[in-house]
Amino acid sequence: MNKIKNKCGLWLAALFCLLSLNGAKAEEAVDVQEIVFSHIQDAYTWHITEWGETEVAVPLPVILWSEEKGWDFFLSSRLHDGQAYDGYRIASEGDLAGKIVYDNAAGETVRPVDLSLTKNVCGLLLACVILVTAILKMASWYKKHPNEAPGGFVGMMEATVMYIQEEVVEKSIGKDYRPYSSYLLTVFFFILINNLMGLIPIFPGGANVTGNIATTFVLAFCTFVITNVAGTKDYWRDIFWPKVPIFLKLPIPIMPFVEFFGVFTKPFALMIRLFANIMAGHTIILALTCLIFITVSMGVIVNCGMTLISVLFCVFMNALELFVACLQAYIFTLLSASYIGLAKVKE
């Protein structure tokens, strides 16, 4: 999957360079970078569409705190189109670009403590609501039909839960898998729902939750904590005194350092893998869509041909991303279960 995405990315980069040269004389250039990053980055409003020159968007609650101003609550619509409200504004450049800032008494641009419900936060909360609703629906069905075999949605959920629990969690961890089963099943469905919601181009979909490194960091950190808390004495002994020739441990602890470093690289790999795959898929799909608008100034024939190519590639990439959405949820759960299982091994 990664090789396919890398090849697609290289092809797109070359194609964009060629199109940029051919369309240099266009009256109104299309800023592909602005379009792509405005969709995959977090935002204080949930953009839906544009009607003429009017943006149709859902304003989200802004919650700020600073020592000088205290608490402030207002809707993000007050900061629309570069407007300022009560001294706050959205920075347009620099390291704080896209973030709410204000000028303090010394004239310095600073960022307050930001607890706002951004697009990604709302998308995350929506995914949690969907997950809880699905689980409660299953529980309600089993309570009403204790002796019946489920079908439809409940049957599909049961099959998925049983597969993940028996083929992934139990086989990776062993007979003591039950304390970790709830966490791993929750992680699987949470990532899956967010991945699928991110592929829906219309409201309330489109939030790039798992393509945000903060989200994947928290998920990987949870796995890191559980893995090391579950670690047995044998697990820690193999880290600080591994079974290797003595010259690899003394006088310079080469292998203990490598093993200890691996404690941190495993969750780091989990974080980057999920983030990079989801981010790459969204970026490629958006870039392919931009081909239609880039080639408008090149004539009807070129534009029609590139539109057809763009649509075909978008269909292919969406199908690929649908597969990747399920695959990445499975891989994150499988690797998390494997790390926990390795930490619980006893000699």
Side-chain angles (χ1 to χ4, degrees):
M1 293 301 110
N2 290 334
K3 291 183 178 179
I4 294 175
K5 286 184 178 180
N6 291 336
K7 290 181 180 178
C8 290
L10 292 173
W11 181 85
L12 284 173
L15 185 58
F16 282 141
C17 290
L18 178 62
L19 292 175
S20 298
L21 292 174
N22 291 336
K25 297 180 179 180
E27 295 182 0
E28 184 178 353
V30 177
D31 192 343
V32 178
Q33 182 176 352
E34 173 65 23
I35 294 174
V36 171
F37 280 96
S38 65
H39 281 76
I40 62 178
Q41 289 180 339
D42 203 0
Y44 291 97
T45 59
W46 200 318
H47 176 82
I48 299 177
T49 186
E50 291 185 0
W51 188 268
E53 296 183 356
T54 304
E55 180 185 11
V56 180
V58 178
L60 301 174
V62 175
I63 306 171
L64 305 172
W65 182 87
S66 63
E67 293 183 359
E68 296 181 354
K69 293 176 172 289
W71 288 99
D72 282 286
F73 307 88
F74 55 90
L75 289 178
S76 59
S77 56
R78 295 184 179 274
L79 302 175
H80 186 62
D81 289 336
Q83 298 178 5
Y85 175 75
D86 195 22
Y88 294 109
R89 68 183 186 278
I90 298 179
S92 58
E93 57 185 14
D95 296 336
L96 298 176
K99 306 298 182 181
I100 294 179
V101 298
Y102 73 98
D103 295 330
N104 60 14
E108 301 172 333
T109 299
V110 295
R111 185 184 179 191
V113 177
D114 194 345
L115 303 176
S116 304
L117 297 181
T118 61
K119 179 181 177 180
N120 283 348
V121 173
C122 292
L124 187 149
L125 293 176
L126 177 60
C128 292
V129 170
I130 294 174
L131 177 57
V132 171
T133 302
I135 298 303
L136 292 178
K137 179 179 175 63
M138 288 182 62
S140 176
W141 190 94
Y142 282 111
K143 187 176 180 180
K144 295 178 181 178
H145 309 83
N147 299 318
E148 296 182 26
F153 174 77
V154 177
M156 180 187 68
M157 287 290 292
E158 179 184 349
T160 305
V161 169
M162 294 300 294
Y163 176 80
I164 296 298
Q165 181 164 287
E166 295 177 359
E167 299 298 324
V168 176
V169 180
E170 185 175 0
K171 286 188 176 181
S172 299
I173 299 177
K175 61 181 181 180
D176 298 328
Y177 73 94
R178 290 192 179 277
Y180 312 98
S181 180
S182 298
Y183 164 71
L184 293 170
L185 284 169
T186 302
V187 164
F188 172 79
F189 284 108
F190 175 79
I191 295 175
L192 178 62
I193 292 173
N194 277 297
N195 288 351
L196 295 178
M197 290 293 293
L199 295 176
I200 300 175
I202 59 175
F203 180 82
N208 189 30
V209 177
T210 45
N212 187 309
I213 200 165
T215 304
T216 59
F217 168 80
V218 173
L219 293 172
F221 181 75
C222 291
T223 296
F224 169 79
V225 171
I226 293 174
T227 299
N228 290 286
V229 169
T232 61
K233 293 181 179 180
D234 295 321
Y235 167 75
W236 289 108
R237 185 185 63 195
D238 287 339
I239 290 176
F240 293 106
W241 195 255
K243 294 180 179 180
V244 295
I246 192 66
F247 64 86
L248 294 176
K249 296 182 286 188
L250 294 174
I252 301 176
I254 298 176
M255 287 308 299
F257 174 78
V258 171
E259 292 291 340
F260 183 73
F261 187 67
V263 172
F264 300 94
T265 56
K266 290 176 182 177
F268 179 79
L270 279 179
M271 175 184 71
I272 296 299
R273 179 184 288 104
L274 179 58
F275 160 74
N277 276 277
I278 302 304
M279 175 68 79
H282 287 193
T283 303
I284 292 173
I285 291 173
L286 289 168
L288 285 168
T289 304
C290 289
L291 285 175
I292 300 172
F293 306 101
I294 293 175
T295 57
V296 168
S297 62
M298 299 181 184
V300 177
I301 297 177
V302 175
N303 184 236
C304 289
M306 294 309 298
T307 299
L308 178 62
I309 293 174
S310 175
V311 170
L312 292 176
F313 269 91
C314 280
V315 171
F316 169 74
M317 284 304 303
N318 271 285
L320 181 61
E321 280 301 296
L322 185 61
F323 172 72
V324 170
C326 302
L327 181 64
Q328 289 304 315
Y330 174 80
I331 289 176
F332 193 100
T333 307
L334 176 63
L335 291 177
S336 296
S338 298
Y339 297 157
I340 296 172
L342 290 173
K344 291 184 65 63
V345 170
K346 297 180 180 180
E347 295 181 0

